[in-house]
Each structure stands twice: as structure tokens, then as C-alpha cells.
Amino acid sequence: MDFTEVSSSRGTDFKKKKAKKKNVNEESIGECCEVKQEMEKSDAAEATALPPTFSVSEIKNKQRRHLMFMKLKQEKRKQKMQLKRKKKKEREALGDKAPPKEVPKTIENQRVYDETTVDPADEEVAFDEGTDEFSAYFHGLTNPKVLITTSDRPRGRTVKFCNQLASVIPNAHVFYRRGLALKRIIPQCISRDFTYLMVINEDRKVPNGMVLCHLPEGPTAHFKVSNVRLRKEMKRRGKEPTDHYPEVILNNFTTRLGHSIGRMFAALFPQNPQFLGRQVATFHNQRDFVFFRFHRYIFKNEKKVGIQELGPRFTLKLRSLQKGTFDSKYGEYEWVLKRHEMDACRRKFQL
């Protein structure tokens, strides 16, 4: 057999070409890195050289605009942290002579002063409280008895909400509407010694309104209901509430209107809470939204207290307050929400 000799020059040529390609790739990568570094330097120079009236929204390129926005955000954060550290060091150096900490500005502490703000030491307010519609409850002369009903043909979610409200409010009874008008229901409630009529309205199978009518002489309040969460929808909820009378907490009802609404809520519950149940119903007013929460508490030690939410939870927004019992045609209104006039200033609150 004849063997042909193959020169090794082909193998060496292939190795040389591969090495050349590697060198070209390394050079191109190095050039790209240099271009990127130059771009970053130019961006930083632009950021420092930008005029004070410059806005990031003026940059038309979306990616470049986003990069500039993130860089400006990072710079602001760095400056803020540096200032914070500097102030902390100064306070540590001064020790007891350090000035008091600055209170951050919020909508609550920048609130516009209201002339109707209630002073607890005011004799006129004390006289009004002693002679208003709710004075008999606070003096222990009458016990509340609440009838809870719904709009016509309620859906399952509204019915469940009413049943859970009845488990929160002592001596509350749920009755179905059966197409009766409120003007016909009110005399029947008065004849059966009910002190409150609560009507839960719904829209698209969701509770969206509440009419709270004090019997027999009024007043009647209409609320918007939102953010309703039933017990099954809540995480880490406690066991079902017991039949003990809960404690009632009212927060931030400072004006005359807020004071009357707070007393209206307080009169729903008996004024002799049973502390063995360790249950608390809270009505917290913040920016004219009333947040309702129902908790059970336990004392872990002398300093720590644990709380467990039982539900339901919801938010109320007052729409109107009417004198007397419910009368949509001839009723006299004490207060009506006018959104475009009253909600124009964010720092002015009604409750």
C-alpha cells in the first residue's frame, strides 16, 4: 500500500487563524468597554452640567431618559443619607444639648383650624351632651337594641356582612326587608322598642352604603361603605367573637359634627363593657374616613399586649346627617357633603 504524505502546514495555518480571531474579539470587547465608560463619563458630566431648570422628561430617548432618572434618584438618595449621617453625628457630639428632632410635615398636623373644634372643658358642649338624643345611653337609663336590615333582594355577601355585624354589636337582630319601605319599618321598630335601625345597601352584589337611624327621634346618618372584608377573607384572624359586651374606642372625632357622629357610634354599644371578653371595637377617624376594626387583646406581660383581629373590617365616609328619622322628601338636613366645595382643600376636614 502507498501512503501519501500530508504536510503539517494546514494545521498550523488553522491555529494561526483561530488566534487572530481571538485577538480581534478581545480588541472589539475592549473597544466596547471603552465606549461604555466614555458614555457613562459623558452622562455623569451632563448630569453635573445640567441647568437647574432642566427636566428629565425633555429627553426624548426612552432608555436614556430612564437611565438619567435612575441616576438622579440615586444621587438624591445619597445626599439624603449623607445629611442624615451628618445630623446624627452632630446630635451625638452635642449629647444632651442637642436640639429636639424636627417633626415631619403631614396632612394631619398641617390641618386647617376649624372653628367648631370641641373643647372638653367647654360648658356649652357639656350641656349639649347632657340633653341630646344619646344622653340616656351614657347615663345608663336605656340599653341599645339594634335592627339590621338590607336593601331589597340582598346577595350572599351582603347577608353575611349583616350577620357578622350582628355578632359584633350586642343585642342586634337581623331581619330581611321583604320589599317594605323604610317609612313603614320605622314605626314598627319604635313599637318594638328598637333604638337603632341600620340599613345596609348594596350595588353589584357588594355592600356600598349604610343608613344609621336613631329611634325614636333621630338623627339619621348616611354613610358610604367601602373596603369591606369578611372574616373568611382575613389572614391570621382569631376565633369567633364571644357574647361579651366589647369596649369602644373613638379616635379623632374633634369637631362638633364629628363629636355627634362619635356619640352616635358609641350609643350602638352598651356602656358597661365586660372586660372578661377582652374585645374592642374601634372607630378611627382619619381624614374624614372612619375605619372600623374589631380586636381581641391579651396581656403578655406588664409592658407588652398582643392583639388579634376578629373582623369584619370596613371603611365609612359620611355623606349626610339628617334631623329626625329617615325622610328623603321632607327631611331637614344638618349637614350634606358637597364634594367640589368641601374636598377642594386637602388640609381641611369636617370630622
Side-chain angles (χ1 to χ4, degrees):
M1 290 180 70
D2 296 332
F3 293 96
T4 56
E5 293 182 0
V6 178
S7 62
S8 61
S9 61
R10 287 184 183 178
T12 54
D13 291 341
F14 178 73
K15 286 179 182 178
K16 284 178 182 179
K17 285 179 182 179
K18 202 171 182 181
K20 279 182 183 179
K21 281 183 182 179
K22 276 186 181 180
N23 293 330
V24 169
N25 290 334
E26 286 175 0
E27 287 174 3
S28 61
I29 289 165
E31 287 175 2
C32 289
C33 292
E34 287 175 3
V35 169
K36 280 185 179 180
Q37 288 174 358
E38 286 176 4
M39 284 180 69
E40 286 175 359
K41 285 178 183 178
S42 64
D43 288 343
E46 283 179 12
T48 53
L50 288 173
T53 57
F54 175 76
S55 176
V56 181
S57 59
E58 294 176 9
I59 301 171
K60 294 182 179 180
N61 189 310
K62 187 178 179 181
Q63 292 178 344
R64 196 176 185 83
R65 184 170 65 242
H66 179 69
L67 284 170
M68 286 294 294
F69 174 74
M70 295 304 293
K71 282 177 183 176
L72 290 170
K73 201 173 180 181
Q74 286 177 359
E75 285 175 8
K76 283 182 181 178
R77 196 180 295 159
K78 282 180 183 177
Q79 290 173 3
K80 196 174 180 181
M81 290 299 295
Q82 286 173 1
L83 189 66
K84 198 174 180 180
R85 287 168 189 162
K86 187 180 177 182
K87 284 184 178 180
K88 192 178 178 182
K89 285 180 181 178
E90 287 175 359
R91 288 184 66 82
E92 288 175 355
L94 291 170
D96 297 333
K97 296 179 181 179
K101 286 186 178 180
E102 295 178 0
V103 179
K105 289 184 179 181
T106 60
I107 293 177
E108 282 80 10
N109 61 25
Q110 298 295 311
R111 177 177 179 170
V112 176
Y113 177 75
D114 196 334
E115 295 176 356
T116 63
T117 303
V118 174
D119 184 8
D122 193 350
E123 294 180 0
E124 185 183 350
V125 174
F127 177 76
D128 290 344
E129 288 180 358
T131 56
D132 67 357
E133 302 91 344
F134 312 109
S135 59
Y137 299 96
F138 295 100
H139 293 310
L141 301 175
T142 57
N143 286 322
K145 187 180 178 183
V146 185
L147 185 141
I148 302 174
T149 187
T150 62
S151 55
D152 293 333
R153 298 175 184 176
R155 299 291 178 168
R157 186 175 175 79
T158 306
V159 174
K160 288 177 184 175
F161 180 53
C162 291
N163 291 328
Q164 292 185 14
L165 278 176
S167 67
V168 169
I169 302 170
N171 206 11
H173 307 271
V174 180
F175 287 95
Y176 294 109
R177 182 80 168 268
R178 294 173 185 168
L180 288 171
L182 284 181
K183 286 186 179 180
R184 291 183 61 187
I185 296 173
I186 288 169
Q188 295 179 18
C189 293
I190 294 170
S191 64
R192 297 180 186 181
D193 297 327
F194 281 100
T195 60
Y196 271 99
L197 172 64
M198 184 184 291
V199 184
I200 306 297
N201 297 317
E202 71 171 9
D203 182 31
R204 298 177 185 177
K205 305 180 184 180
V206 177
N208 74 327
M210 178 192 291
V211 177
L212 190 61
C213 180
H214 177 257
L215 303 175
E217 298 176 355
T220 303
H222 178 218
F223 299 93
K224 176 190 173 184
V225 181
S226 59
N227 301 329
V228 177
R229 293 191 68 182
L230 304 177
R231 287 192 183 116
K232 284 190 176 179
E233 299 167 357
M234 296 169 62
K235 294 180 180 179
R236 299 176 183 175
R237 66 182 185 277
K239 294 180 181 178
E240 295 291 318
T242 58
D243 296 332
H244 296 90
Y245 293 169
E247 303 165 54
V248 182
I249 297 174
L250 302 169
N251 283 337
N252 297 336
F253 293 94
T254 54
T255 63
R256 290 298 291 266
L257 176 66
H259 214 59
S260 57
I261 294 296
R263 284 173 68 83
M264 198 174 187
F265 287 138
L268 281 168
F269 299 85
Q271 300 304 307
N272 51 343
Q274 297 171 344
F275 297 103
L276 288 173
R278 295 179 285 107
Q279 295 177 157
V280 182
T282 307
F283 293 91
H284 176 73
N285 173 41
Q286 187 172 356
R287 303 179 189 179
D288 287 345
F289 288 92
V290 181
F291 300 91
F292 175 80
R293 299 290 184 269
F294 192 59
H295 290 95
R296 181 182 288 124
Y297 63 88
I298 184 170
F299 293 103
K300 294 183 177 179
N301 53 41
E302 294 179 355
K303 293 183 179 180
K304 288 187 178 181
V305 178
I307 60 172
Q308 193 175 38
E309 192 170 357
L310 305 179
R313 65 163 69 166
F314 54 90
T315 306
L316 300 175
K317 173 80 170 176
L318 183 65
R319 289 287 181 83
S320 65
L321 183 65
Q322 182 183 355
K323 288 183 178 180
T325 56
F326 179 80
D327 190 353
S328 57
K329 279 190 177 180
Y330 305 107
E332 182 184 353
Y333 287 89
E334 288 185 36
W335 184 87
V336 178
L337 175 65
K338 297 175 182 177
R339 286 183 58 199
H340 297 290
E341 294 178 15
M342 296 178 178
D343 293 348
C345 180
R346 291 182 63 196
R347 295 186 294 111
K348 190 172 183 179
F349 307 120
Q350 309 300 323
L351 299 182

